[in-house]
Amino acid sequence: MKISSLLSGDKLSLSFEVFPPKTDTAMESVKFATEEIAKLSPLFMSVTYGAGGGTSKYTLDIAKNIKKQYGVPTVAHLTCVSSNRETVREKIEEMRIAGIENVMALRGDITPELEQKEKSEWIFQHAIDLIHEIKESGADFCIGAACYPEVHPESDNQTEDIKYLKEKVDAGCSFLTTQMFFDNNLLYNFLYKIREAGITVPVIPGVMPITNANQVERAIKLSGSFMPQRFKNLVDKFGHSPDAMKQAGIVYATDQIIDLFANGIKNVHVYSMNKPDVAEKILNNLSDILG
């Protein structure tokens, strides 16, 4: 089922994100983890794409397995920055043949090898280039894209960022998923601005449960996320204790989700990655709210 159809109802729901293994030997453990999350019956699950496309085969394998074995709709990530047009078309065709209906079109991370090249040499420079390629291929995908409530790290300002976001939507993007954020007010302000700019497709907020203190530095590095003082206090207090930090991180993420639901947002995407216990605890915390 296409994500655009799933988001049209009034039901409150969660979706979860998982990632593929880096090697064949890790496939069984990742497969088990993703299946345990699928058993929780989320609205959908998205499967990420390794840097440089190195784990693209596993992305498709996991997405197919989740859909076939558990009937959970899936979104397969696809990146383009390190690929040529032939490779991208091959991946699109593989997804089509596999029965994948939803694709998250992303530029992808800039690898050290790419940094050595002139940007003008890149075949695909932005996610919009990939969206155009998917559309031109004729594949009937529901296309999603990423957005940044706190501005894309490479954008000069939010006005410019929103301008490029609208171009992605106009090119054929049917829904947006946000980068992680830890202050809901940033999300509400962002939503107001993009609606004013004429972006009307569904926006799914992305929430990351921080379950160990080491994740904080990585989250800031990846997304430039603003850390509210309330969250900093939580890490200072519980960061030294793995069990306490995990519980506190799950509670903080749950609180974010409750506030989002209370403010009229029906669908939230949880970056639980390959942690079924985290996904299950969040669902349990929301059992009466989700109904």
Side-chain angles (χ1 to χ4, degrees):
M1 184 175 288
K2 292 185 176 181
I3 301 303
S4 54
S5 299
L6 291 172
L7 300 176
S8 61
D10 292 327
K11 183 181 177 182
L12 298 176
S13 64
L14 296 183
S15 53
F16 295 108
E17 186 154 297
V18 296
F19 60 84
K22 294 181 179 179
T23 63
D24 284 334
T25 55
M27 183 62 179
E28 279 306 308
S29 63
V30 170
K31 182 172 178 286
F32 174 80
T34 57
E35 289 181 348
E36 289 299 298
I37 293 175
K39 290 176 184 178
L40 299 172
S41 301
L43 184 69
F44 67 87
M45 291 171 64
S46 66
V47 188
T48 67
Y49 198 83
T55 59
S56 59
K57 174 184 180 296
Y58 304 121
T59 296
L60 191 55
D61 289 345
I62 290 171
K64 286 193 299 184
N65 182 62
I66 292 168
K67 181 180 178 182
K68 180 179 179 181
Q69 298 298 329
Y70 298 94
V72 176
T74 57
V75 180
H77 288 212
L78 180 61
T79 65
C80 61
V81 70
S82 62
S83 301
N84 57 39
R85 182 160 280 105
E86 181 181 8
T87 300
V88 167
R89 280 296 178 104
E90 287 175 358
K91 296 302 179 185
I92 292 171
E93 182 63 9
E94 288 173 5
M95 290 179 174
R96 188 192 65 78
I97 292 173
I100 299 297
E101 296 180 89
N102 307 289
V103 175
M104 180 67 68
L106 306 165
R107 184 196 67 179
D109 297 330
I110 305 301
T111 62
E113 293 77 16
L114 277 172
E115 289 180 339
Q116 302 303 314
K117 293 183 178 182
E118 289 292 330
K119 194 172 181 179
S120 59
E121 296 179 33
W122 301 356
I123 301 298
F124 297 95
Q125 298 194 15
H126 304 286
I128 191 172
D129 300 325
L130 178 56
I131 294 170
H132 285 309
E133 194 70 24
I134 294 170
K135 285 293 186 180
E136 290 172 9
S137 75
D140 185 24
F141 293 132
C142 176
I143 303 172
C147 60
Y148 292 75
E150 300 176 65
V151 185
H152 191 286
E154 296 173 26
S155 291
D156 291 334
N157 54 64
Q158 195 168 55
T159 299
E160 178 186 76
D161 202 24
I162 292 174
K163 171 180 173 289
Y164 291 134
L165 184 61
K166 189 170 190 310
E167 289 179 1
K168 287 196 287 188
V169 172
D170 291 344
C173 172
S174 297
F175 70 96
L176 299 167
T177 303
T178 78
Q179 180 58 271
M180 69 187 82
F181 57 92
F182 299 92
D183 182 343
N184 286 6
N185 288 326
L186 293 169
L187 184 276
Y188 300 139
N189 182 263
F190 172 73
L191 290 177
Y192 174 80
K193 289 180 178 178
I194 66 171
R195 298 314 186 201
E196 284 287 296
I199 298 173
T200 60
V201 298
V203 177
I204 311 172
V207 171
M208 165 78 85
I210 298 294
T211 55
N212 68 73
N214 293 332
Q215 284 181 287
V216 176
E217 184 177 347
R218 178 167 171 77
I220 294 173
K221 182 179 179 181
L222 283 175
S223 64
S225 299
F226 166 70
M227 297 294 178
Q229 189 60 47
R230 175 171 170 251
F231 185 79
K232 293 178 182 178
N233 293 342
L234 179 152
V235 177
D236 288 342
K237 180 67 175 178
F238 304 112
H240 65 283
S241 171
D243 290 341
M245 183 65 223
K246 184 174 184 178
Q247 185 175 51
I250 290 171
V251 169
Y252 189 94
T254 302
D255 186 55
Q256 275 192 273
I257 295 168
I258 290 172
D259 182 73
L260 291 168
F261 285 160
N263 281 278
I265 291 171
K266 298 183 177 66
N267 314 109
V268 177
H269 191 59
V270 181
Y271 295 111
S272 58
M273 309 315 286
N274 296 3
K275 298 176 181 177
D277 59 326
V278 172
E280 184 174 17
K281 286 175 181 176
I282 288 177
L283 279 173
N284 288 340
N285 288 344
L286 299 166
S287 57
D288 290 333
I289 292 172
L290 292 170

